[in-house]
Amino acid sequence: MSLSRSPSPNKGGGWSSPGLTTPFDNVSGRSTPRKSYQMNGGISGGDVSWATAKARSDQVNGYPSFSTRNNGFFSRHARQISRSLPSFVKGAEKEKLGRGRWYANSGTRTGRTLRFLGHHIWRLRLRLLVVLSFILAIIIFYVTPMHRAYRRASWLGGGSKFVIILAANQGGGVMEWKGPREWAIERDSVKNKKKYAKRWGYNLEIVDMSTKKRYAHEWRESWEKVDTIRNCMRKYPKAEWFWWLDLNTFVMEPSYSLQRQVFNNLGSNTYRDINVYNPLKIEHPFNNSHLDPDSLSPVGDGKASSIDLIIPQDCAGFNLGSFFVHRSAWTDRLLDVWWDPVGYEQKHMEWEHKEQDSLEHLYIHQPWIRGHTAFIPQRKINSFPKGACGENGENDKVHYKEADRDFVVNMAGCEWGRDCWGEMYNFRELSNKLNRTPWEKFKDGISDRVKAIKGKPEKKKDGKS
């Protein structure tokens, strides 16, 4: 028998070892008998053979939780059960290698494109997040009423500092006449001012002039502008500027704010020296030696902060169809003098334009009026249609020009020989056309092209016939 070690000296195999083959330990030289201990299975230590020890060692060093012996049903049939199950080895490997991924050198063109875009979007994710947040904030600002609150706040947009005064129902009082055209004009004018005031956060005061019948017996039914302005100043104590508009006016450019059009650069948008445009040929400035330097100066003190009255001039002089008044002590004094009974009782037959002629008279004869009065070019806030002031033809300083996108048009004097409703309708349609959105322009362009295509065959047929 071949063993991995040297042959055992004992007959039958095994190895002679102290404590295993004999009950005595002769190695140490002692003769005391050693007690024999029973081993597992009742085998004493003296009967331990090499094969028995090796078998016991295999049982200890093996895997007790799993035995290859066919003990039990599962152990005998495990391999057969596993073979009967379906195999997913190839599918699993493919899923592991390409789970929802696109590769630059494989796959479709769409997959490569998406991978490229996804890679760059991920790299720029923070910048894209900032841009998207900014766009979302703009959309929320303009879709919700936030932009109106911003424009109206006195410390932001400043809209609450302005009051638009619109005279309505001017046919009341002692001249009660009103037909469908007059009502249509009033409806369009009021709607136009409401839309403009709402857009920029301005206050709008619509004055019913028919309630002024108490002035009829005093010949001052056309002088109520002064009294109305005073009442509005009391009603809006925090407002600073009051803009009077006649009923026959129309805001052509609602995208222009008053701040942008006039007040952000009040000094450059107005002029103090009436000689710049002086249709009334008023002598200016005064040359009386007893007056103070500001009264003798053609521009007063030259400061924009001292302007309290802003008036446009047409071809005949002052025009109060559209003008501005600033809240101040000087304005209170002016309104008191302007509303003096001497003017409307003694001059109502002489002054054709009533309160307008009265203001011109005060400007000509009262030095304190000129120091706080400024003039604004007519087309800045009060353009005329071609029919008004048309004795000398078209005037570039007075008449409306579509190419320049004038702010406001005033159909002044249309009731005397002109069609007020026709002018109001034409300017309303023109304003809608000029202020179309890009989408509306696109739709109108397609509509016009379709109409042009449909109209060409009809012309050909007419030509043939």
Side-chain angles (χ1 to χ4, degrees):
M1 176 175 96
S2 62
L3 298 173
S4 60
R5 296 189 179 187
S6 59
S8 175
N10 296 327
K11 184 179 180 180
W15 190 261
S16 178
S17 178
L20 293 178
T21 57
T22 63
F24 301 100
D25 191 357
N26 296 325
V27 176
S28 59
R30 300 190 324 177
S31 61
T32 306
R34 184 171 291 182
K35 187 176 181 179
S36 177
Y37 296 94
Q38 295 291 327
M39 303 299 290
N40 292 337
I43 302 173
S44 64
D47 297 332
V48 175
S49 65
W50 175 259
T52 303
K54 187 173 183 300
R56 290 178 178 177
S57 177
D58 289 342
Q59 289 180 358
V60 174
N61 296 330
Y63 300 93
S65 62
F66 179 77
S67 177
T68 58
R69 298 174 182 177
N70 294 330
N71 297 327
F73 174 82
F74 181 78
S75 298
R76 294 194 301 270
H77 299 279
R79 184 175 297 276
Q80 295 179 2
I81 294 174
S82 64
R83 286 180 178 179
S84 64
L85 295 175
S87 177
F88 299 98
V89 176
K90 294 184 178 180
E93 291 299 323
K94 291 182 178 179
E95 178 68 16
K96 182 178 179 180
L97 293 175
R99 180 175 299 176
R101 301 177 181 175
W102 292 279
Y103 295 92
N105 298 324
S106 63
T108 62
R109 182 178 298 178
T110 303
R112 293 193 297 270
T113 303
L114 292 176
R115 176 177 172 79
F116 176 80
L117 292 176
H119 175 69
H120 285 277
I121 290 174
W122 179 253
R123 289 182 59 190
L124 303 174
R125 60 188 181 277
L126 294 179
R127 299 179 183 178
L128 290 175
L129 180 61
V130 173
V131 172
L132 292 176
S133 301
F134 179 73
I135 295 174
L136 182 61
I138 293 176
I139 293 174
I140 294 175
F141 180 78
Y142 284 100
V143 171
T144 62
M146 290 178 60
H147 69 285
R148 295 173 187 165
Y150 171 84
R151 290 172 175 174
R152 181 168 177 78
S154 59
W155 53 283
L156 293 174
S160 60
K161 298 179 181 179
F162 299 90
V163 178
I164 301 174
I165 306 173
L166 179 64
N169 197 20
Q170 288 184 320
V174 296
M175 298 182 295
E176 289 199 16
W177 58 271
K178 232 173 183 179
R181 286 176 173 263
E182 287 72 30
W183 284 112
I185 291 171
E186 183 169 318
R187 181 177 61 251
D188 285 352
S189 181
V190 171
K191 182 179 179 181
N192 174 252
K193 309 309 184 299
K194 284 184 176 180
K195 184 178 179 180
Y196 180 74
K198 182 179 180 181
R199 177 169 185 167
W200 293 104
Y202 303 145
N203 301 296
L204 176 62
E205 183 69 15
I206 302 175
V207 183
D208 185 2
M209 306 306 267
S210 64
T211 61
K212 304 297 182 181
K213 290 183 179 181
R214 63 178 182 273
Y215 304 139
H217 67 288
E218 297 176 342
W219 305 288
R220 57 174 175 176
E221 191 174 24
S222 299
W223 297 63
E224 64 270 17
K225 288 183 181 179
V226 182
D227 192 33
T228 300
I229 293 173
R230 295 174 66 178
N231 292 334
C232 287
M233 286 186 173
R234 287 192 290 267
K235 184 175 181 179
Y236 300 94
K238 295 182 179 181
E240 297 180 6
W241 284 96
F242 298 82
W243 183 22
W244 177 276
L245 285 174
D246 282 348
L247 185 66
N248 290 332
T249 57
F250 197 88
V251 179
M252 296 295 293
E253 298 296 334
S255 60
Y256 295 177
S257 66
L258 294 178
Q259 295 92 317
R260 169 191 180 275
Q261 185 70 3
V262 180
F263 294 100
N264 287 346
N265 296 296
L266 185 59
S268 59
N269 288 326
T270 59
Y271 57 95
R272 308 287 285 273
D273 187 0
I274 194 174
N275 294 315
V276 174
Y277 181 66
N278 192 359
L280 295 175
K281 309 299 181 184
I282 298 174
E283 183 180 354
H284 182 76
F286 288 99
N287 53 11
N288 298 0
S289 59
H290 65 277
L291 297 175
D292 60 276
D294 291 344
S295 299
L296 295 175
S297 172
V299 295
D301 60 2
K303 299 178 181 179
S305 59
S306 64
I307 297 176
D308 293 316
L309 179 64
I310 304 175
I311 307 172
Q313 293 190 92
D314 58 24
C315 56
F318 293 7
N319 187 281
L320 299 183
S322 173
F323 69 99
F324 293 95
V325 176
H326 182 241
R327 182 192 298 275
S328 66
W330 179 91
T331 301
D332 292 337
R333 181 184 177 190
L334 170 66
L335 295 177
D336 288 340
V337 175
W338 199 358
W339 188 242
D340 193 286
V342 175
Y344 61 77
E345 286 186 357
Q346 298 184 8
K347 295 290 186 177
H348 70 279
M349 296 297 293
E350 180 181 348
W351 289 341
E352 179 182 2
H353 299 289
K354 301 177 175 62
E355 82 285 351
Q356 190 168 285
D357 291 339
S358 175
L359 183 61
E360 291 176 353
H361 178 82
L362 292 174
Y363 183 86
I364 292 172
H365 296 92
Q366 299 293 333
W368 63 273
I369 298 289
R370 301 190 185 187
H372 294 264
T373 302
F375 301 94
I376 190 168
Q378 174 83 3
R379 290 173 52 200
K380 271 281 186 181
I381 62 170
N382 196 37
S383 297
F384 278 1
K386 293 182 180 180
C389 284
E391 295 82 2
N392 299 323
E394 187 174 353
N395 189 339
D396 292 338
K397 294 182 178 181
V398 174
H399 293 127
Y400 174 84
K401 285 188 178 297
E402 178 182 345
D404 295 337
R405 305 289 293 268
D406 290 350
F407 179 36
V408 176
V409 64
N410 181 8
M411 282 72 75
C414 63
E415 61 271 12
W416 310 107
R418 304 202 324 264
D419 184 4
C420 294
W421 165 244
E423 291 183 0
M424 177 69 74
Y425 175 81
N426 291 332
F427 280 110
R428 183 192 69 188
E429 295 300 313
L430 179 60
S431 176
N432 293 336
K433 179 182 177 181
L434 295 176
N435 292 279
R436 292 174 298 173
T437 62
W439 174 244
E440 291 174 341
K441 291 180 180 179
F442 174 75
K443 291 191 299 182
D444 292 343
I446 294 178
S447 178
D448 294 340
R449 181 163 297 183
V450 171
K451 291 179 181 179
I453 293 174
K454 290 182 177 180
K456 287 182 179 179
E458 295 179 359
K459 293 181 180 179
K460 290 182 179 179
K461 291 179 180 179
D462 296 340
K464 290 180 180 180
S465 60

